[in-house]
Each structure stands twice: as C-alpha cells, then as structure tokens.
Amino acid sequence: MSSSENSSSQQQLLNGKNVLYVGIAWGVLSLVFYIVYNFFFLEQQRSIWYLLGTYVDESLPFLVAALLCYRNWRNPQIPSGQSVWLFVGLGTLCYVIANFLFGWWELYWGLDPDVSPADIFYIGFYVFVTTALVLAVLPRRLNLELWQLLTVGAVATVGIGLAVWITFVIPVTAAEVPEAVGIIPENIDSAPALEQLAPTNSLPTITAKEKLELSKAEALTPTLETVNEKQIPAWIEATDEFLSRFSQPVNFSYIFGDVIFIIVAAAVLLAFWGGRLAQSWQMIAGATLSLYIADMWFKYVETLPTEYESGGVLEVFYVFSGLLFAIGAALEFDVSNRSRRAGRRRAR
C-alpha cells in the first residue's frame, strides 16, 4: 500500500462521524465510571486505581485532540487557518503534559500542593487556546447584532459572578461558621459527665481471619496512603516549598483565564453562527464551557473544610472538554475535504 493510500485510509478512519461516535461512547462510559464510583463507593477512600483511571480517562481525549489539531495544521485548505489549529494543538498538548506532571506529583509522591510544575503547562493551555480563539475571530471582522452583544454580556456577567462567588464569597462565609464537631460544652468539666458522652456500645472484636481478609482487600484496592509510603527526595520537597509561594497569583491567573476563556468562546460561537464551520466551532465552544464548569467545581471543592481529593463527579467535564476539542477538529477537517472535492469537480 502506498503512502498516499495509507494516509487516505487514516483520514477515512478519523473522519468527523467516526470521531463523533467514539467521543459520545467515551463520554457516556466516563460519566458512568465517575457516577458509579462516587455514589456507590461513597464511604470508601478513593483507591489508587480509580485515581489513575481518571487521569487516563481525561488525558487520552486531549492527546487525540492534539493529534487531530496537528493534522489540521498540516492541511493548507483548513478553513479557519493553520495557525488557529496550531495553537489549539499546542494547548491540548500542554494539557496532556500538565496532567502527567500533576498525576506524578499526586499519585506517585502523594503530595497535594497548591502549585506544582504542572501549573506551568496548565497556564500554557489557557494562553495557547485563547490565542487560537482570538485568531479565529479576527479575520471575520466581527459585527455582532444586538441580541448577540446581549448574549456575550450575559455570559460575561454569569461567568464573572460565579467565579467571584466561589473564589471570594464562599471562603469568607465558611470561615464565619464555627465548627460544630469536637466542641465540648463549658458546663461539662467532670469525668462522669464526659463518660456519659461516650458511646455505650464497644467496638466489636476482629478475629485473625477477618484481619487477614481485610488486609487482602486493602492490597487489592490500595489508597494513596498505602501506596505513597516512600521517602520523598529533598529536591521534590524543596520544589514543592518553593512553588507554594506563588499559590495566590497562580490561582488568580486561573480565575482570570477561565473568565476570558468563556467570554472569547461565546464571541467565537456567535462569529461562526450559521456558517459552514458552525458545527466544529460549536464543539470548541462546548469544550471551553465544559472546562469552565470543571474548573469552577474544582475551586468550590477547594473551599470546603475537607481535604481535596481528585476524582469528583463533576470532574468528568474535563473529559468532555477533551472530547469536544477532538470532535471539533475532526469536523473542520471534513469541511476542508468537502471543499477540496467540490473545487476539483468545478475544475473538471
């Protein structure tokens, strides 16, 4: 088989319809995966296998999206412009690298840092994709009608309001609420009174056989505590301590990036509204919206008094974001192929 025939077969395999079907299937299975573990294993600590599965489940769609964007960049007939897809591809590739670094930091070393080396690439993702969205809009000489301007204004208002509420209002409200757990009334100052607060039923004894079965179950589903009983190198601890100094500016950069991200995405969606590229850019806009939802959920969970742990149910929107980037790239490549075939027929 020649190289041209091989390339043609790959293009047929990775056409928009196939990528769409696989993306829908992947999204449904991911949603079931997150829901089953979060709601049916709620009382158990998340195992290392589940957390590793979430990283793989999230990173693969972004990796496929980066490859499809690379294909668009190599295509001189791509309607939105090669530079647009170059920056989208660089952004999605940065996301894959960031996920790998953050997973290494969290799963291998057992750290839960405010800032890690992954944040450099996460911020790079925002910079590259926002640049791509701006480059996609600029050549179209955007002239929005009144209802479109109102739509962008509403998106901006809701996006900014939600980000401010989660970032500033919720932490202040949580700090004002006293903790009810562990508070002992002042009038209880004697041992008999304290004994009355203790539970009357003692814990059941565990036999040696039950202890053996319990240890086997823990070995099959190890948690981060059982896996990460290794000595952390000094350079890892030093890096973690150094990066923690930048937690506040990094967190604000994410908030700013999310707000700009969703506003520009709304403008891009309206710019391509009703045109031949509407479907592909609807997917890109949906990808940015999914990422915004997941980021806001992440920020909200961080404000809770409990310690944050990866794998929350709404983090499935990170998976949806990668899938929508991949679908959008594949759909636009199909448009470029149809345009090329139509041009050949006219030439004949």
Side-chain angles (χ1 to χ4, degrees), residues 26-86:
W26 189 280
V28 171
L29 291 175
S30 301
L31 183 60
V32 172
F33 176 58
Y34 277 78
I35 288 177
V36 166
Y37 204 96
N38 280 277
F39 289 98
F40 290 91
F41 297 92
L42 189 61
E43 299 300 326
Q44 302 181 13
Q45 191 175 20
R46 290 167 185 155
S47 69
I48 187 69
W49 307 116
Y50 169 71
L51 297 176
L52 183 60
T54 60
Y55 277 102
V56 174
D57 186 37
E58 179 182 329
S59 300
L60 280 179
F62 278 95
L63 180 60
V64 173
L67 295 175
L68 293 176
C69 290
Y70 172 75
R71 184 179 67 171
N72 287 1
W73 171 59
R74 293 287 303 274
N75 181 9
Q77 304 296 328
I78 202 72
S80 297
Q82 292 172 281
S83 59
V84 171
W85 291 105
L86 172 63

Side-chain angles (χ1 to χ4, degrees), residues 250-284:
V250 168
N251 288 330
F252 278 118
S253 68
Y254 282 129
I255 298 167
F256 179 78
D258 280 327
V259 172
I260 297 298
F261 213 27
I262 196 170
I263 293 173
V264 176
V268 168
L269 179 62
L270 295 174
F272 289 95
W273 191 271
R276 63 192 181 105
L277 304 178
Q279 287 185 338
S280 61
W281 285 96
Q282 285 170 3
M283 299 298 106
I284 301 299

Side-chain angles (χ1 to χ4, degrees), residues 9 13 51 82 102 120 126 141 150 157 159 175 184 207 258 273 281 286 303 314 316 320 326 340:
S9 63
L13 181 63
L51 297 176
Q82 292 172 281
F102 192 79
I120 299 173
Y126 282 96
R141 297 179 181 178
L150 293 176
T157 302
I184 301 177
T207 64
D258 280 327
W273 191 271
W281 285 96
T303 63
L314 285 187
V316 72
F320 295 162
R340 189 183 303 118

Side-chain angles (χ1 to χ4, degrees), residues 79-81 83-84 87 130-143 264 267-269 271-272 281:
S80 297
S83 59
V84 171
F87 282 106
T130 302
T131 302
L133 297 177
V134 172
L135 290 176
V137 171
L138 287 179
R140 302 184 68 85
R141 297 179 181 178
L142 192 60
N143 294 317
V264 176
V268 168
L269 179 62
F272 289 95
W281 285 96

Side-chain angles (χ1 to χ4, degrees), residues 61-277:
F62 278 95
L63 180 60
V64 173
L67 295 175
L68 293 176
C69 290
Y70 172 75
R71 184 179 67 171
N72 287 1
W73 171 59
R74 293 287 303 274
N75 181 9
Q77 304 296 328
I78 202 72
S80 297
Q82 292 172 281
S83 59
V84 171
W85 291 105
L86 172 63
F87 282 106
V88 177
L90 289 174
T92 51
L93 182 60
C94 280
Y95 196 93
V96 176
I97 298 173
N99 259 13
F100 172 78
L101 292 175
F102 192 79
W104 180 47
W105 224 246
E106 181 187 28
L107 302 184
Y108 187 78
W109 295 118
L111 298 173
D112 185 21
D114 294 328
V115 181
S116 72
D119 290 288
I120 299 173
F121 292 93
Y122 281 131
I123 293 174
F125 165 78
Y126 282 96
V127 172
F128 283 129
V129 176
T130 302
T131 302
L133 297 177
V134 172
L135 290 176
V137 171
L138 287 179
R140 302 184 68 85
R141 297 179 181 178
L142 192 60
N143 294 317
L144 298 180
E145 298 179 3
L146 178 60
W147 71 271
Q148 293 174 321
L149 290 173
L150 293 176
T151 301
V152 174
V155 170
T157 302
V158 173
I160 295 172
L162 184 60
V164 169
W165 178 66
I166 291 177
T167 307
F168 300 104
V169 178
I170 290 182
V172 173
T173 305
E176 293 175 352
V177 178
E179 295 183 0
V181 180
I183 297 178
I184 301 177
E186 295 180 356
N187 57 354
I188 300 179
D189 55 358
S190 61
L194 290 175
E195 291 177 358
Q196 294 177 0
L197 294 176
T200 57
N201 298 326
S202 60
L203 294 175
T205 59
I206 302 177
T207 64
K209 182 179 179 181
E210 290 173 339
K211 288 181 179 179
L212 181 60
E213 293 177 352
L214 183 61
S215 63
K216 289 181 179 179
E218 289 180 351
L220 291 175
T221 57
T223 60
L224 287 179
E225 284 72 12
T226 58
V227 171
N228 296 305
E229 294 179 354
K230 58 177 70 69
Q231 183 68 31
I232 300 177
W235 71 271
I236 292 287
E237 294 182 343
T239 303
D240 184 60
E241 183 179 356
F242 173 75
L243 292 176
S244 63
R245 306 173 186 175
F246 304 98
S247 60
Q248 189 171 4
V250 168
N251 288 330
F252 278 118
S253 68
Y254 282 129
I255 298 167
F256 179 78
D258 280 327
V259 172
I260 297 298
F261 213 27
I262 196 170
I263 293 173
V264 176
V268 168
L269 179 62
L270 295 174
F272 289 95
W273 191 271
R276 63 192 181 105
L277 304 178

